């Protein structure tokens, strides 16, 4: 029997070392954006597994209206300033969602699932309370990767164009994480288990696709921050990345 997936406790009780950075970010954002509806954190900080100076902070910002160009610049300035002031985190990764999109029934398998099972609310009206707990399904895996082709193409362009080592390493880490999570989404409906870390995601994927262990190991090499030649990274995106895309299409044709 399929069971409902677990959800984070709300309000969260964070690791003491990361309280300050989250509090500062919340303070800055709520005072600078009149259209801010609510804020959520995901990843290792939400799981209470973050490592000082090694973990990033994943933030989802729900807004009542689209950000203007000037507001986007302010957001970039705020995140950069908080990153420099709080070395506890390596980076702050922002996802911005319009409130109407978050509550749109057509997006329930993406944003409904994301807010209910992958995030915890740290400010504002917790939209996850609008949703019941989800069960594992192909619809969720597919919805969470509806922009996979565009993301892979975007990272390919960024990696080819950059000449700054720190930027290059950051792009490599990001695309590798995205590919690992996408791999997990391929098997989510079969495993029935909610993976909340990259290790868990990879383990679940390899239970069904053990032949791709070497590719997963290479992705984790990129996640570790080790510098790899551009040619090798682009080969992974063009080769294994395209396999992931084609596998989504293959499963979709079977399940619909």
């Amino acid at each position: 029997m399929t069971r409902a997936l677990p959800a984070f406790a709300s309000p969260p009780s964070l690791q003491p070392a990361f309280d300050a950075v989250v509090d500062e970010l919340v303070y800055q954002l709520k005072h600078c954006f009149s259209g801010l509806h609510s804020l959520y954190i995901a990843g290792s900080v939400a799981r209470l597994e973050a490592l000082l100076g090694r973990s990033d902070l994943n933030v989802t910002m729900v807004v009542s209206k689209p950000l203007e160009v000037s507001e986007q610049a302010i957001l970039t300035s705020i995140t950069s300033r908080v990153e420099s002031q709080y070395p506890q985190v390596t980076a702050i990764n922002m996802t911005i969602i319009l409130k109407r999109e978050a509550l749109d029934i057509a997006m329930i398998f993406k944003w409904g699932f994301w807010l209910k099972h992958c995030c915890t609310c740290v400010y504002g009206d917790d939209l996850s309370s609008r949703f019941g707990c989800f069960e594992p399904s192909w619809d969720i895996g597919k919805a969470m990767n509806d922009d996979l082709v565009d993301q892979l193409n975007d990272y390919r362009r960024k990696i080819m164009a950059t000449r700054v080592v720190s930027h290059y390493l950051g792009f490599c880490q990001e695309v590798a994480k995205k590919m690992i999570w996408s791999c997990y989404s391929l098997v989510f409906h079969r495993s029935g288990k909610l993976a909340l870390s990259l290790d868990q995601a990879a383990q679940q994927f390899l239970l069904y696709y053990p032949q791709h262990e070497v590719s997963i190991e290479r992705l984790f090499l990129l996640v570790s921050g080790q510098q790899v030649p551009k040619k090798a990274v682009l080969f992974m995106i063009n080769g294994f990345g395209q396999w992931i895309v084609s596998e989504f299409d293959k499963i979709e044709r079977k399940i619909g």
Side-chain angles (χ1 to χ4, degrees), residues 154-226:
D154 185 47
Y155 279 118
R156 183 187 295 110
R157 286 191 295 268
K158 289 178 178 177
I159 288 171
M160 290 177 65
T162 186
R163 296 181 180 276
V164 180
V165 173
S166 60
H167 294 173
Y168 171 68
L169 295 178
F171 295 147
C172 289
Q173 287 179 318
E174 291 170 15
V175 72
K177 289 179 181 180
K178 175 60 182 175
M179 291 169 70
I180 293 171
W181 282 117
S182 295
C183 285
Y184 163 68
S185 294
L186 290 170
V187 304
F188 177 50
H189 64 292
R190 298 170 67 184
S191 72
K193 296 181 180 180
L194 181 62
L196 293 173
S197 70
L198 284 177
D199 286 336
Q200 293 173 3
Q203 289 168 10
Q204 289 300 312
F205 170 71
L206 290 175
L207 287 176
Y208 298 90
Y209 295 94
Q211 69 272 28
H212 291 295
E213 182 176 3
V214 172
S215 293
I216 294 298
E217 289 176 353
R218 289 171 176 167
L219 291 178
F220 271 103
L221 190 65
L222 299 180
V223 172
S224 73
Q226 182 170 329

Side-chain angles (χ1 to χ4, degrees), residues 40 59 62 89 161 180 236 250:
Y40 308 78
V59 181
V62 177
V89 295
I180 293 171
M236 283 296 295
K250 178 181 175 181

Side-chain angles (χ1 to χ4, degrees), residues 14-235:
L14 302 179
Q15 296 163 276
F18 295 91
D19 271 330
V21 61
V22 173
D23 288 346
E24 179 65 20
L25 188 64
V26 169
Y27 176 83
Q28 293 286 343
L29 294 177
K30 73 180 182 181
H31 282 88
C32 292
F33 295 94
S34 59
L36 177 63
H37 174 272
S38 47
L39 289 168
Y40 308 78
I41 58 172
S44 59
V45 176
R47 298 195 309 270
L48 310 183
E49 298 174 353
L51 301 176
L52 281 173
R54 295 177 57 188
S55 297
D56 53 10
L57 176 61
N58 295 295
V59 181
T60 297
M61 180 176 173
V62 177
V63 294
S64 58
K65 57 184 179 65
L67 296 186
E68 298 178 358
V69 174
S70 60
E71 291 179 312
Q72 293 174 2
I74 292 172
L75 179 60
T76 299
S77 176
I78 289 174
T79 55
S80 296
R81 185 165 61 250
V82 174
E83 285 174 348
S84 64
Q85 292 176 344
Y86 294 89
Q88 295 96 312
V89 295
T90 57
I92 297 175
N93 302 313
M94 299 290 300
T95 299
I96 303 173
I97 317 172
L98 287 173
K99 179 184 175 183
R100 66 173 180 269
E101 292 179 352
L103 296 176
D104 187 343
I105 191 65
M107 302 295 287
I108 190 170
F109 290 115
K110 183 171 187 175
W111 299 129
F113 167 75
W114 175 253
L115 295 176
K116 187 69 179 181
H117 294 289
C118 303
C119 298
T120 183
C121 184
V122 293
Y123 171 76
D125 178 19
D126 186 359
L127 291 182
S128 70
S129 64
R130 309 289 205 282
F131 308 101
C133 287
F134 290 75
E135 296 180 350
S137 72
W138 171 243
D139 290 309
I140 293 173
K142 180 174 61 174
M144 296 300 290
N145 292 273
D146 59 357
D147 60 349
L148 177 59
V149 173
D150 290 339
Q151 285 209 37
L152 291 178
N153 287 336
D154 185 47
Y155 279 118
R156 183 187 295 110
R157 286 191 295 268
K158 289 178 178 177
I159 288 171
M160 290 177 65
T162 186
R163 296 181 180 276
V164 180
V165 173
S166 60
H167 294 173
Y168 171 68
L169 295 178
F171 295 147
C172 289
Q173 287 179 318
E174 291 170 15
V175 72
K177 289 179 181 180
K178 175 60 182 175
M179 291 169 70
I180 293 171
W181 282 117
S182 295
C183 285
Y184 163 68
S185 294
L186 290 170
V187 304
F188 177 50
H189 64 292
R190 298 170 67 184
S191 72
K193 296 181 180 180
L194 181 62
L196 293 173
S197 70
L198 284 177
D199 286 336
Q200 293 173 3
Q203 289 168 10
Q204 289 300 312
F205 170 71
L206 290 175
L207 287 176
Y208 298 90
Y209 295 94
Q211 69 272 28
H212 291 295
E213 182 176 3
V214 172
S215 293
I216 294 298
E217 289 176 353
R218 289 171 176 167
L219 291 178
F220 271 103
L221 190 65
L222 299 180
V223 172
S224 73
Q226 182 170 329
Q227 188 168 350
V228 174
K230 278 190 181 183
K231 184 176 181 180
V233 178
L234 294 172
F235 177 81

